[in-house]
Amino acid sequence: MTAELVRGQNHPLPQTRLEIRISAGNPIVAGATLGDERGTVHGAEWVAHPASPQLAGIEVPKQAAADHRLAVDLDAMPDHVHRVTVLLALPVGVGGPARFGVMAAPFVAVTGLDGTEIASYTITDLDSESAVTALELYRRQGAWKVRAVGQGYAGGLAAMLHDQGLAEATDLAGRINEAVARGMARSVAQPPPRAEGDGRVRTAAAGGTDPAPVGADPAPASGGADPAPMAADPAPDHPQTPPQQPQGTPAAGGPVNYEHPGRRTAAPPTPAPTAPPAAPGQPAQPVAGDASGWTMDERLYNQVWGMFEDLARTAAAYRSAVDFAESRMEQELDRVLSDPRTRVGPAADSARAAARAKHTDLVEQARAALDRDLAQLTAEAEVVEPALPPAYARWDSPVWQAYQVPMEVPMALRLGDLHLPERTDLRIPMLVRLPLERGLWIDAGRSGGFDEGPADSGELRRLAADAAVAIAARLLAVYPAGEIAVHVIDPAGSAAGSFAPLVGSGALAEPPAAGAQGVSTVLAALTRRVDLVQMAVRSGATDALPPDLDTAEQLLIVHDFPHGFDDRAVTQLRYLADEGPAVGVHLMMVADREDARAYGPVLDPLWRSLLRLTPVADDHLADPWVGHAWTYEPSMVPRGSRVLEQVLGEAGRAAKALKAARARPSYGN
């Protein structure tokens, strides 16, 4: 039975391998400190945090999220550690809440590896605090207990760490906040919470309830992957209530279940497809659109995100099982070598062979479970991909051959594909919600992921411009006529070839702006638009906007930044990146950050505010659940295909027809 703790109450821990699950209404940072008998933290190396997530016996997430899971192995704690303190803090400088008092009360649960709750604690009565000591695990007379603490700090992380005796508390808090800001900048935005009962049932491995799904004891730390910063299932409506496992969830290591027995959504206007009955002993066959939603587009969107989440957690379970097997083998070999009586001789050889055989067996079982789940996800992807609408489809999809200008804006847009090294041919569409909530940055520079890409920097810049055009064309194609306008700044005209399809189709609001004067003119017009719309919205006078103001969504493509930009233009660009998305002005940068290094840290907030994409495959994106490094590949038009010109031509003709219709005089009765 779960012990529901109040502040100051303690409870014995019946086992030493645990998970600590945290739920909050907004992204928070989770960490832990290791203390001596007095609870003193003697150095930064005694703190597990996003920039250094693993210590002996504990692993914490690498990024901020609304839900976390911390992996704990108390048997692996060093002898001098007597207290493990779980810390929560609000991210700094990322636009979220500044104090816990405006959020739902954080909920913390200590569970076994099978998900069984041992103790839980809802942290109430927080107000101005931006950091809180949630609970502590402490050693008393050889046994471990958990105590609910709930001590808040208005001074944030630095004050909390200083209170635990850490001399370099301020410096460490700064490093943690910087790491969290970087992590949030590179993370793929999580989808909105699904309706309760959206029964996309995970594998036990994918759900994180058993990091070692093959029957081995799970690893205390999941091998560098964050222990699930977001819960596998949707966050509960009330974070203070622990998430419940959906009815029908398979046992540990079970296959992905496509029948969705836990769905309890309201019936949509048109019935969702359902999987055909499966043969006895076989998993149900996947079908496209087998997820919750009121339209097929919404169901497909939710299904794609479910596949993304399943793959992330299945891979995390496999990596955790492999790490555990290696750790177990090392421990067994260390025991053999530490005893002089068994260090050499037939007994030692036999012990080494047994340890290696056990390791091999565990890894093979983990791989078999992984292959089983990957096969099912691949089967689902093969069914879903052909059913995707234009906004979600690849450029080589037949759906583009019957393209027509839509009548309404879709839920999301495909920016490319994501995959993991465990199965590189299993590609998950990378979908972002519309309208865009943050700008995009197509990185034209060279990073570690470009080793196998083009050697010539000029070719890399051309590919970056082509990628920007492909995204802009997709936006023009999925918005109704007249509901989005695209502007281009190309100060030196160096990307004229890449922008030719946009120019030739008449899809641009005006020709690409060139030179410093062109840069100034476009930025001034869009800045004015942001100012006017903001004032109108704040004053509730949207009907008083000037008649010449284009109220459609605006996309600004900036190529070859910072060429042609003075300090005023840079300030305006930063303003558009920060304020524009809320009023329908979106930024797409095509730039090499090294070209702007003369500005130093002044532009760091700009780069962090944009979602970084690359024109070639690169493993720089993280998922919002376990923090894997996903390889991103842009959605490019196949070589020799005319689909881009066809789609832009259709969108351009629709826009011209609408403009002509608006220009005709209207006559009243």
Side-chain angles (χ1 to χ4, degrees), residues 633-666:
E633 290 191 13
S635 180
M636 305 293 279
V637 178
R639 188 180 298 274
S641 172
R642 304 291 298 174
V643 65
L644 190 67
E645 289 79 2
Q646 171 200 335
V647 169
L648 285 175
E650 188 70 25
R653 286 188 292 273
K656 291 176 183 177
L658 179 65
K659 186 176 181 181
R662 289 174 175 174
R664 295 192 198 104
S666 58

Side-chain angles (χ1 to χ4, degrees), residues 197 199 201 233 244-250 257 260-264:
V201 181
D233 295 311
Q244 300 295 322
Q245 190 177 23
Q247 183 180 1
T249 301
N257 185 347
H260 307 304
R263 178 179 288 127
R264 295 184 299 276

Side-chain angles (χ1 to χ4, degrees), residues 201-277:
V201 181
R202 318 278 180 234
T203 60
T209 56
D210 187 355
V214 295
D217 294 332
S222 53
D226 295 357
M230 274 191 62
D233 295 311
D237 293 336
H238 306 284
Q240 63 266 30
T241 26
Q244 300 295 322
Q245 190 177 23
Q247 183 180 1
T249 301
V256 179
N257 185 347
Y258 294 107
E259 294 180 340
H260 307 304
R263 178 179 288 127
R264 295 184 299 276
T265 54
T270 55
T274 56

Side-chain angles (χ1 to χ4, degrees), residues 57 65 144 207 213 219 320 333 337 343 377 414 539 609:
W144 286 90
S320 176
L333 293 177
L337 294 175
R343 192 172 299 163
L377 286 170
R414 185 175 190 154
S539 62
S609 70

Side-chain angles (χ1 to χ4, degrees), residues 326 361 585 613 630 655:
E326 292 176 352
D361 182 58
V585 177
L613 304 175
W630 290 74

